[in-house]
Structures are given as C-alpha cells and as structure tokens.
C-alpha cells in the first residue's frame, strides 16, 4: 500500500515524538517516523526540514552538529524541556481528537 | 533558557545569514546523499539514483521555506536593507559623504540649539516644586516704572497680610565683599538674604547649616556675623576644607563665621554669586517706606495660581496705598512665575534661532530627498520589477528608509558629537549675564530630540524616492523605459516642489538675518553720549570697616585718582559710582525747587557721584555752567549737575543757579545746579531709560566706585600699571572687572551680537544648501533634455534660446518660491519685530536686499547648467541615444 500523506498539523507531533528517545538528524527522523508507523506514514522532505527549523525557532528542539553513524557531519536535533512539555500537550490533544474521530466513524 | 536559546538562534540567523545558509545546504545535502544511497541499494544506477533523489527531494523551495521559518520577516528585511545601504554607500562614497555631511550638519546645529532652548527655557529650575516659586516685584507705572525692585516695608506688609504664599523671602542681590586674609584680596559678589530663602527654594547645604530665624532681621532676629559659601568658592578659595564650618573669614574687614557650604548646583540668583550673609537693614526703613532695593521670592501655597496671588497682592497694594498715601501712591505689585521671569529676556531670541536651525535642517533634507529621488530613478528598472513581482508600496518605502539607515546613523552620530563639541566651545562665548547659562548641556531631552529629528529625516527623505518609483505602476514605468528614460511629469513636479520649498524657506531665513543685521548696525550707530575709545575702566569697592566715614572714602578715592593721573601714559582719570552699560544702577527721585515733581516726572533718575575729571575723561560735553572742581568739598556749598534732558524741564530758562534736592520725604538738603552736561545711555544702548543727575564725589561719597582712565595710547595695555598704582595707595584694595570701556560697550551688545551672527550664519548655510538644490534640479533637467536640445540645435535653434529656456525654468521656480518666502516672512514679522531696534519689521530695504542676494545665487546656480545645455553638440547628443 502506498504511504499516506500526513494529516495537516500532525508533523510537529510526530517529529517531537520521534525525538523523545534520543537526538537524531533529519534523515533518521524521517526513517524513524516511517518505521514506527509500519511504513504507513511518509514524511515529505519538503516539509520535514522547514518544520525542524520552525520547531527550533520556537525553542522546542535544539540543534547541534555531530557525527552521523556513517562518520559524516550531521545536524542532530534534540528535544528541549519546552519541547517535551509541548509533546505531552500535543499527544494529549491528538488522543482526544483521534478518539473523537474514531467514535464518530464507528457510530456512523 | 529557552528565551536565550531562541534569541541566540534568531540573532545568528539575522547577523550571519550566509553561515546559516551554508549549514542548511550541508544538512540537506546529507539527506540527498542518503536518498541516493538507498536508491542504489535498491538497484538503480548511480546516475539514475541521483536524478530520482533530486526529484524526490524537491527544489530550491525547501531552502526558501527553511529560511522563512528561521527569520522574523521584517527585522530580517530591515537588516537586509541596511546592509544593502552600506554596500550602496561604499559603492558611491561621494554620494554617501554628501548625505552624511548634510545630516551631520543639520543634526549638529539643531541638537546644539535645542539643547540651549531645553536647558534654559524648558528644564525645571533646580529647586523643590519649582512651579510654585514666584518672583515678587513692585510696580510704579506713574513714575514710568512698569517694574521696580521691591520695598522692604511692602514685603513686610505682604508677609503679614497675604493668604496665598507659604512664605516670602527678601534679599539684596547686590552685596559685595572684599575677602581678605588668605592670599590676594578678592572682590566677591554676594547676597544678603532673609533666612527663609533656603527653605522657600527647598535647598539644603552640603555641609553645615543655612541661616536661622535668630539671624534674620526680617523675622525679628538679630544681625549675626555668619556666612554661607557656595561650592565653587569653598573649593577655589578654601581647598574644599571640610573643617570650614565654624572658621572665621574676613569680609570687607569684618570677621564672619562660616556656618555652611551650599551644594554644587546652587547658583542663586545667578552663578556669579559666591557668598551669602543674613539680610540686614535699617529698621527705620519699615516706617519711612522709601527703600526700594530688594528682590523678593515667594512660594505659593499648594493649589494657588499665579492669578489668584496677583489678585490678592493687588488688593493689599490698594490697601497700602490708602494707608500710606504719601509713600505708596501709585505703587502696585506683580507676581511672576520664577522660571518665566528668569528667562524672559532670552525666550524670543532662542525660539527664533531654533526655528532658524530647524528650517536649515529642512532645506538640507530637501536636498537629500532630491538626491535620493535621482538615485531611485537610476534604479527605476529594479524598483519597478520588484513592484511588479508583488512588493507592496509600504515594502518599497521601508526598503528606501532601510537603505538610508546606515547614513542616518553615521550622520546622527557625527552630528551629536559635533553638537557636544559646539556646546563646549560656544557656552563660554555666551554672555555671562544670560540666565541659566550654567545649565546648558546635552541633556536627555536633547538626545530624544535628536532621535526624533533623525526619524523625521528618515520619513521625509525616504518616502520620496519610493513614491516617485512606485507612482504610475509598472505600465507607466515600462513605457517610460521604452521612451528612453525621460523623466515623467509627475516626478519632475515632485522635485520642483522641493526646490520651491527650499527657496521659500531660505528667503525667509535670509530676510530674518538681514533685518537683524540692519538692526545691529543701527544699534552701532547709536551715540551713547560718551566716547569709549581709549578709555580703560575697572571697579573698586572701598571697605567701610577700614574707611568708616564718607570723608575717609572721599580722601582714598582722590588719592587713587591723583596717583593714576600721575602715570605717564594716562591723560585723564575720574571716578563714578556706576559705570555706563556695565549693568547695575543707582536711581531715585529728585525735585526741583518750585516745580512739583509730579509735573516734571523726575521720580526716577540716575544718581551719579563723580570726581571733577569724569566728564572730560568720557568726553561727556559740558553744555552750560561749569563742571565740578576740587573746591566742591564736603564743607563747600552743596552743588549738582544735571543732564540736558533734565535741563529741558526749565523750558528755555537757564537751570544753572536753580536748586534741586533728592526727593526723599523729610530730606531737605538743597543743592545748587552749577552745570548742564550731555545725556548718556546708562542701562542699555537700545533703550533710553532715565536722565542723570551728578553729585560731587566728595559731597556724596560711595563705597562702590568705577575708575575710568583716558589713555594716551592703547588703553588695553593700562591694566597692570593701574593695578600697581592703586595697590601703592592701599595694598589690600581689590580691583575687579577691569577692561576697556569699548569692551564694556561690546559686552552690553553681546546678546544681540550673538543672536545676529548666529542667525546670519544659519542663513548663509541655508543659501549654500538652497543653491545646491537649485543647481541639482536644473542640471538634472538639462541632462534629461539633452536629446531635445540636440534636435533643436540641429534644426537651427540658436544657443541663446536654449540657454534662455533653461534659465526661465529656474526663474519660474525662484519666482514661486520667492513669493512664498516673502509672504512667510511678512506673516512671521511680528515675532522678529520684538528683536529689532530702529528697524521696521517690514523694512523694505532688508526684504529687497535679501531677495536680491538669493536671486543672484539662484541665477548663478542656473547659469552653469544653462551654459552646458547651450553647448550641447547635436551630433553627440543624438548619437548618445
């Protein structure tokens, strides 16, 4: 099955979630999201990087240059304390939204 | 933490966009490389893999989107515009220098001038709740005195009867002391003040205390020998000795105990005053009610207005007039807010000068606007394309202002430095008697003013190019471009309006300067009634403690005159109790025998005590009778000399031989008039205040005298010899305020000279700026019409016609601007009129001369481009297309 494009506004949540375990660079974040969703969710590169920069602007993630697993210089993103709070907030919001939609879909 | 992180991040993005972009590239490249690898692993050829990866990744939009996410848009834009502005500056350094210099000059002049206005007129006085402080004056319109010093008896009555003042202080501002003991004898300017002056002003001493009620005669205390020093005197004369309190100093030979030192900023009534002692006066004054020689300061009760206080004093004055019909006849009172009162003499001149510099700044701004419009037109294509691609007009204006920012910053900084320097240099040149001159400096309001002025320049100047560029929209521009870069009518009209404004404003300024210059030359023509040339003057204060009797003082004065006259370089010498035009006076009423003083109006004339040679020394002409001689001694019959104005009271009869007396009730000491001399202007050159009556020094000795000496050579060289001669008579005798009489006269004209020369300088700068403006516009118009001129010449037009064409355009601009300027000058004449002397505010010759000067300048500014237009080579002009 072809991967589904992301629902508007959920990308931030997914990125924050992906970063919750450990700092990683952009490519790895995309991979992680795809893996965690069993290849269902695909992040467009065109949205990923602007989103990362936006999150950095807002202070939810911080970026540092590090060395990737292939020994290349890579920009590693890590969740900040504010980012963790934001993740909790958005997760809760999402769960309520998802539950509500599920409810509607099943009842109908 | 988070805030700092964000700030750091944003600043980095702002300040080093290049570095951020490179990092972004590297980050994205990594991603692309991984995509390629993945595709190769999946079996694609490397080339194929790269192509697919690139397509998957998307184009340059990602970079843009990331950048946008990173930047706060408008700051980024402004920063970018400013950086672009810096690049433009370095690319066209001449242009940048012209702009920066204009801004710097304008800011320097306006900031310096505003600093003076702010420091002198606007800043509150350095006292507690200064708004509640008022000066009190007596008035006596019947005696021709709209305002007079207050009488001690009146102050005492006001104190008891009023309900509007918290308290009233009284002081004798002019009390002078010879400080002797440590080092050179020195003459000190001091004040005798009532003890409540300090609490009324709300000031406390730095060390020690101020005076107590026990030391204040006005409050019923006794006269104690105590003194308060100013900070300056304490530091200069006593080395800031903290143990000064309790020490004894000698003032005019008498011991005084120092009780305190005032704070550094205390300068009341002016900074010339260095010492304070308690006010003493003869208690009989309160009964006689004739001594009017005091200043008075009061503090209004909270909530009481000046008007209410005035109304109450009016009532009290009317009561006093009824109770003391003889002494208080026609005596009123005036309540004047202290700040307004203090600066009343300089308010109009300062505002006129501020208006002049502001105008100058605007004229300069018009030049800047013209320069920038010209440059914007050169960048027409770029701006139009940007507008076509969706840049809003606001964005274009913001860009145009943003590009100005570096030059504004540089010009503003240079202007501020210049203003600080100008204030440092100019303040010592200001007349010493200018009120609050010690307060002049760059204070915070002046800095805010500068910032506001810069913002105004940015708006006024920056908006024009953007408007010029965006007006008409793309289609107009494109058609312009296809027509070959000829300026559109709208835009040239913009430039014309700017130049007309410049001409009008400049003419306005030049007319003002011309009026003041004429007024000043009128003033120089005034004959003060004496000849100051070759005369040297100095002041002496004889110590009453050393020479208690009038006869002692008379003898001392005569010895000094004799010793000085014996000097080989001295022709004549004399003493007078008040030097003309030196500030300070001694006046009073006189009554002629057989004439009612109310009829003669001699309630207030100058009292002069002089030695015999005084008249010849100053070359005051003797018109009838005789001058005083050495025989007019204390024991000889009392005599007096009157001036020609008083002599006119006798119609054509000879006043010599008639009798006169000082008009003090109960003072029946008749003097015989022995001579008539010419009238002099004593208080000021620009006003004739009072007639003079002279008494022989020996018959009316005074302890404050001025020595005048007519030199055979250069009078300025006399100083040391005179001081030596005086010291040889009494080594402890201080000499002060020594200078040539011409210098005294110049000093009396100081404020007028300063305002005239400043306004003339501003007008001159404005003329230069305006001529640049006219030249710029005409030259530009000529360069735009080169092709047209070429064609016309090729078709047989004569060069003279081309020249006339160009000149006509200049003349039209000048004509319109000139009319506007003349109207503006006429409309504002009333303000300037108050500064003029003997010159009508609509003085035709000043208006005409100013217009002519500006006309010639404008003609020259137009003639250069006109000649260039006429010398166009048709073939070159046509080929240039």
């Amino acid at each position: 099955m072809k991967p589904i494009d992301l629902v508007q506004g959920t990308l931030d949540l997914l990125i924050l979630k992906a970063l919750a375990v450990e700092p990683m660079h952009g490519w790895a974040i995309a991979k992680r999201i795809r893996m965690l969703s069993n290849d269902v969710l695909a992040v467009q590169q065109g949205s990923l990087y602007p989103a990362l920069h936006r999150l950095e602007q807002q202070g939810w993630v911080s970026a540092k240059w590090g060395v990737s697993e292939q020994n290349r210089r890579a920009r590693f993103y890590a969740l900040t304390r504010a980012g963790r709070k934001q993740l909790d907030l958005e997760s809760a919001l999402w769960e309520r939204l998802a539950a509500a939609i599920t409810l509607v879909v099943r009842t109908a | 933490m988070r805030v700092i992180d964000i700030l750091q991040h944003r600043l980095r993005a702002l300040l080093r966009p290049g570095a951020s972009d490179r990092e972004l590239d590297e980050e994205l490249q990594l991603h692309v490389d991984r995509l390629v690898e993945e595709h190769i692993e999946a079996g694609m050829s490397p080339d194929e893999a790269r192509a697919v990866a690139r397509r998957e990744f998307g184009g340059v939009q990602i970079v843009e989107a990331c950048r946008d996410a990173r930047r706060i848009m408008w700051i980024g834009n402004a920063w970018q515009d400013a950086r672009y502005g810096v690049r433009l500056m370095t690319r066209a350094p001449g242009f940048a220098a012209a702009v920066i210099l204009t801004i710097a000059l304008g800011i320097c002049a306006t900031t310096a001038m505003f600093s003076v206005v702010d420091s002198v007129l606007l800043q509150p006085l350095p006292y507690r709740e200064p708004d509640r402080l008022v000066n009190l004056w007596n008035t006596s319109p019947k005696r021709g005195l709209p305002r007079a010093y207050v009488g001690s008896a009146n102050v005492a009555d006001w104190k008891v009867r009023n309900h509007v003042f918290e308290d009233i202080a009284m002081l004798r501002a002019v009390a002078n002391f010879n400080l002797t003991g440590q080092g050179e004898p020195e003459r000190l300017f001091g004040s005798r003040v009532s003890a409540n002056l300090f609490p009324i002003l709300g000031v406390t001493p730095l060390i020690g205390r101020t005076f107590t009620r026990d030391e204040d005669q006005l409050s019923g205390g006794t006269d104690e020998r105590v003194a308060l020093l100013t900070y300056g005197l304490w530091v200069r004369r006593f080395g800031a000795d903290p143990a000064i309190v309790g020490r004894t100093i000698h003032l005019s030979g008498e011991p005084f105990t120092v009780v305190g030192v005032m704070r550094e900023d205390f300068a009341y009534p002016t900074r010339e005053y260095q010492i304070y002692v308690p006010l003493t006066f003869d208690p009989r004054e309160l009964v006689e009610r004739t001594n009017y020689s005091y200043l008075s300061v009061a503090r209004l009760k909270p909530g009481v207005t000046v008007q209410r206080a005035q109304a109450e004093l009016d009532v009290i004055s009317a009561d006093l007039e009824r109770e003391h019909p003889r002494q208080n006849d026609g005596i009123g009172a005036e309540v004047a807010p202290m700040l307004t009162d203090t600066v009343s003499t300089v308010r109009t001149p300062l505002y006129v000068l501020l208006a002049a510099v502001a105008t100058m700044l605007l004229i300069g701004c018009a030049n800047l606007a013209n320069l920038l419009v010209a440059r914007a037109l050169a960048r027409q294509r770029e701006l139009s394309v940007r507008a076509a691609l969706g840049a809003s007009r606001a964005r274009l204006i913001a860009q145009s202002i943003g590009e100005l920012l570096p030059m504004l910053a540089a010009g503003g900084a240079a202007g501020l430095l210049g203003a600080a320097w100008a204030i440092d240099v100019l303040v010592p040149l200001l007349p010493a008697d200018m009120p609050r001159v010690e307060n002049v400096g760059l204070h915070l309001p002046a800095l805010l003013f500068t910032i506001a002025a810069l913002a105004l320049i940015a708006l006024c100047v920056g908006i024009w190019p953007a408007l010029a560029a965006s007006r008409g929209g793309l289609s107009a521009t494109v058609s312009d471009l296809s027509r070959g870069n000829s300026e559109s009518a709208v835009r040239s009209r913009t430039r014309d309006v700017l130049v007309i404004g410049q001409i009008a404003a400049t003419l306005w300024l030049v007319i003002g300067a011309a009026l003041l210059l004429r007024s000043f030359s009128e003033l120089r023509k005034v004959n003060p009634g004496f000849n100051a040339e070759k005369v040297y003057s100095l002041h002496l204060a004889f110590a009453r403690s050393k020479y208690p009797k009038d006869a002692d003082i008379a003898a001392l004065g005569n010895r000094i005159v004799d010793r000085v006259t014996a000097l080989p370089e001295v022709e004549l010498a004399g003493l007078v109790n008040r030097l003309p035009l030196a500030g300070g006076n001694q006046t009073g009423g006189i009554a002629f025998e057989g004439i009612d003083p109310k009829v003669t109006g001699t309630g207030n004339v100058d009292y002069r005590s002089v030695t015999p040679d005084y008249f010849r020394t100053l070359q005051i002409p003797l018109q009838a009778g005789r001058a005083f001689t050495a025989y007019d001694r204390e024991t000889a019959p009392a005599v007096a000399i009157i001036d020609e104005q008083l002599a006119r009271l006798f119609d054509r009869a000879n006043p010599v031989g008639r009798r006169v007396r000082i008009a003090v009730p109960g003072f029946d000491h008749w003097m015989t008039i022995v001579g008539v001399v010419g009238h002099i202007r004593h208080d000021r050159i620009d006003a004739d205040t009072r007639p003079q009556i002279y008494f022989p020094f020996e018959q009316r000795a005074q302890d404050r005298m001025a020595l005048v000496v007519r030199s055979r050579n250069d009078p300025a060289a006399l100083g040391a010899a005179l001081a030596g001669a005086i010291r040889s008579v009494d080594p402890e005798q201080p000499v002060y305020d020594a200078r040539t009489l011409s210098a005294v006269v110049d000093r009396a004209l100081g404020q007028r000279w300063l305002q005239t020369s400043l306004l003339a300088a501003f007008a001159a700068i404005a003329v230069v700026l305006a001529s640049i403006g006219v030249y710029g516009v005409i030259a530009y118009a000529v360069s735009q019409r080169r092709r047209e001129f070429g064609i016309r010449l090729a078709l047989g037009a004569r060069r003279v016609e081309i020249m006339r064409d160009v000149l006509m355009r200049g003349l039209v601009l000048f004509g319109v601007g000139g009319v506007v300027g003349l109207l503006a000058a006429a409309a504002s004449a009333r303000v300037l009129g108050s500064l003029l002397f003997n010159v009508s505010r609509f003085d035709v010759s000043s208006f005409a001369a100013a217009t002519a000067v500006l006309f010639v300048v404008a003609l020259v500014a137009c003639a250069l481009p006109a000649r260039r237009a006429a010398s166009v080579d048709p073939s070159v002009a046509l080929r240039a297309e």
Side-chain angles (χ1 to χ4, degrees), chain B residues 375-620:
Chain B
R375 196 181 59 165
L377 291 174
R379 285 166 59 196
Q380 184 72 53
R381 205 182 292 261
E382 173 204 333
L383 292 172
S384 314
V385 169
R386 292 190 54 148
L389 289 179
S392 63
R393 182 179 280 201
R395 177 72 190 93
L396 286 181
I397 292 174
Q399 180 191 354
S400 143
I401 292 175
E403 286 173 17
L404 255 180
L405 282 180
M407 294 190 272
L408 278 173
L416 263 184
L417 285 178
W421 175 82
I423 289 173
D424 272 1
V425 172
L426 286 179
V427 165
L429 298 183
L430 294 175
D433 57 350
M434 185 175 145
R436 302 190 81 194
V437 69
E438 69 280 357
N439 196 37
V440 174
L442 267 183
H443 301 294
L444 181 66
L447 298 181
L448 296 179
F449 170 86
T450 306
I451 291 168
L454 283 171
L456 190 75
I457 297 176
L459 273 179
C460 292
V461 170
I463 208 163
W464 292 97
L467 287 184
S470 65
R471 190 157 354 190
L474 184 62
S475 57
T477 311
V478 170
S479 59
D480 264 5
L481 292 176
S482 62
R483 268 212 317 270
N485 197 27
S486 76
E487 202 182 357
S488 81
V490 178
R491 253 172 264 126
S492 77
R493 215 178 301 141
T494 308
R495 294 161 64 87
D496 287 353
V497 167
L498 285 173
V499 165
I500 288 171
Q502 274 188 315
I503 291 173
T506 306
L507 185 58
W508 182 73
L509 266 185
V510 175
I511 288 173
L515 283 170
L516 278 191
L517 282 170
R518 265 219 59 191
S519 158
F520 194 72
S521 88
E522 285 293 312
L523 212 52
R524 299 248 53 156
K525 278 190 230 155
V526 170
N527 177 6
F530 59 89
N531 182 4
E533 257 173 66
K534 289 192 146 189
V535 175
Y536 195 82
S537 68
L538 54 81
H539 284 83
L540 299 161
F542 303 132
R544 280 285 180 184
S545 56
K546 205 165 174 183
Y547 306 96
K549 290 197 303 243
D550 281 0
D552 303 333
I553 284 186
L556 173 67
N558 283 339
R559 273 207 305 283
I560 288 176
V561 170
D562 290 345
R563 192 70 57 91
V564 165
T565 314
L567 291 171
E569 56 269 54
V570 170
E571 189 185 334
L572 287 161
L575 287 172
V576 62
N577 58 337
R578 295 293 182 271
L579 190 68
L581 299 175
N585 208 340
Q586 189 182 55
T587 69
I590 56 170
F592 293 104
E593 193 175 25
I595 308 177
D596 184 354
K598 282 194 184 134
V599 176
T600 55
T602 50
N604 200 37
V605 305
D606 291 343
Y607 285 177
R608 291 294 164 271
S609 295
V610 298
T611 56
D613 277 340
Y614 173 73
F615 300 111
R616 282 165 62 212
T617 307
L618 287 200
Q619 297 182 351
I620 298 171

